[in-house]
Structures are given as C-alpha cells and as structure tokens.
Amino acid sequence: SDVCSSDLDRARGWLKPVIEILAGVPTVVYGYFALTFITPLLMKILPQTQIFNAASAAIVVGVMILPMITSLCDDALRAVPQSLRNAGYALGATDFEVSTQVVLPGALSGVLASFVLALSRAIGETMIVVMAAGLAANLTANPFEAVTTVTVQIVTLLVGDQEFDSPKTLAAFALGLVLFLVTLVLNVIALYVVRKYREQYE
C-alpha cells in the first residue's frame, strides 16, 4: 500500500497543476476549441451534425467544469483521516476495497457537492454556448442541431439600448429569475446532501 500511495502522490504532483491550469483557461478559448476542433470532428463522425450544435458545446462545457470537480473531489478524498484507511488495511482490505468502502463513503458529501456546484457553473455558461451551439432558439432533443440557453437569450435581449419596461427587458428579467431559481434549487440540494452525508471526524 505504501508503494501505491507513493505512486499516487507522484501522479497527483504533476496532474494537479495541469488541472489547475485548465481551470484558469478563459471560456472564449474553450469556445474557439469547440468550434474549430470538436465540431469538425463530430461532422466527420456524424455527417448530419450542423456547424452549430449542442453536442459540441456540451462536450467542451464538460471539459471546462472537470477541473472544478476534480479539485473539489481531491480535497474531499484527502480530508478522510489516514487512520480510517489504516483500519481498513488492518482488517485485511485491499486498496480497492479501502477506496470504495472506506474513503469514498467518508468523502461522499464533498464529492456530491462538487458535482452539484459544477452543474450550477455549467448552467450559467454563456460564451462557449454562443460560439459552439449558436443562437437558434430551437426546442429539440437532437444534440446535433443548433440551440441556445437561457443565459445566451438574456445577453441577446439586452444588447443595445432598451427601455426598462420594454418587452425585451422584461423577458430578460424573467429569464434571469428562472436562472436564479434553478441555481438556488441546485445549491439547496447541495447543502442538503452535504449535511446528510457529512462525516464528523475528531
């Protein structure tokens, strides 16, 4: 287990900085990457894919939030006391059993909270969706067609000089309220999950 732990520490030593660098990349760079690399790749694999499509945006948004999930999960897993791991090894458990039956349950609240917080971050993303998915307000279940999101529509409606009581401004405020409520619900869920599965260690 000591050899495995040292290997993991070495891997973490160079993986963690790379992941943190990805977390600092501007979203416009991710959008350009989606438009110039992911979309042409999808069009080669699936010819029916449109230039602007939801799949490309979804893939790149997933890549964008991956550093957040990874960093938070790493912190949660490392917060589990070493004494619990040692107790598992003392009972004859393998590395896999200790990881899945001791460490993961102990860090479950932090892991679940990281996913919910990353989802909230993804919902509010604008630039990647504009560049990769387009501006088409298209209600479809086909991920290879152009779509838009609530945040993009808010930006579109508020472009230019608008009166406060104009229909576009009121529609943008309504969309903002919907987005606020969705993110509020997600954060309440995250708080509930953290409190329910939190482990108290001395």
Side-chain angles (χ1 to χ4, degrees):
S1 61
D2 293 336
V3 175
C4 181
S5 177
S6 63
D7 291 340
L8 288 175
D9 288 338
R10 270 198 303 271
R12 182 182 180 275
W14 64 269
L15 274 175
K16 184 91 170 178
V18 172
I19 292 172
E20 289 176 351
I21 289 173
L22 289 176
V25 175
T27 56
V28 66
V29 176
Y30 281 112
Y32 184 76
F33 173 74
L35 188 61
T36 58
F37 180 77
I38 300 296
T39 298
L41 184 63
L42 289 175
M43 293 177 73
K44 287 182 180 179
I45 298 173
L46 299 168
Q48 72 270 22
T49 304
Q50 298 181 5
I51 295 177
F52 297 105
N53 61 86
S56 178
I59 291 171
V60 177
V61 168
V63 173
M64 181 196 69
I65 66 174
L66 189 60
M68 176 187 294
I69 296 175
T70 305
S71 180
L72 292 175
C73 287
D74 176 67
D75 294 338
L77 293 172
R78 290 175 70 85
V80 177
Q82 183 63 34
S83 59
L84 292 181
R85 296 180 173 88
N86 294 337
Y89 290 127
L91 292 173
T94 63
D95 289 332
F96 179 77
E97 289 172 339
V98 170
S99 299
T100 56
Q101 299 180 23
V102 177
V103 178
L104 186 58
L108 186 61
S109 64
V111 171
L112 293 178
S114 69
F115 278 93
V116 176
L117 292 174
L119 181 60
S120 298
R121 170 73 176 86
I123 289 175
E125 179 53 41
T126 304
M127 185 56 66
I128 295 175
V129 180
V130 170
M131 298 180 68
L135 295 171
N138 184 22
L139 185 61
T140 177
N142 186 357
F144 303 106
E145 293 183 2
V147 296
T148 189
T149 62
V150 172
T151 53
V152 174
Q153 283 299 304
I154 292 173
V155 173
T156 304
L157 291 171
L158 293 179
V159 170
D161 294 330
Q162 301 287 341
E163 296 181 1
F164 182 78
D165 58 348
S166 67
K168 287 187 176 182
T169 304
L170 296 177
F173 275 106
L175 291 173
L177 179 61
V178 171
L179 186 63
F180 169 76
L181 292 175
V182 170
T183 54
L184 177 63
V185 169
L186 287 176
N187 282 285
V188 169
I189 292 173
L191 184 61
Y192 169 77
V193 168
V194 168
R195 288 182 175 177
K196 182 177 181 180
Y197 295 101
R198 177 182 294 165
E199 298 286 348
Q200 298 289 343
Y201 302 113
E202 296 182 357

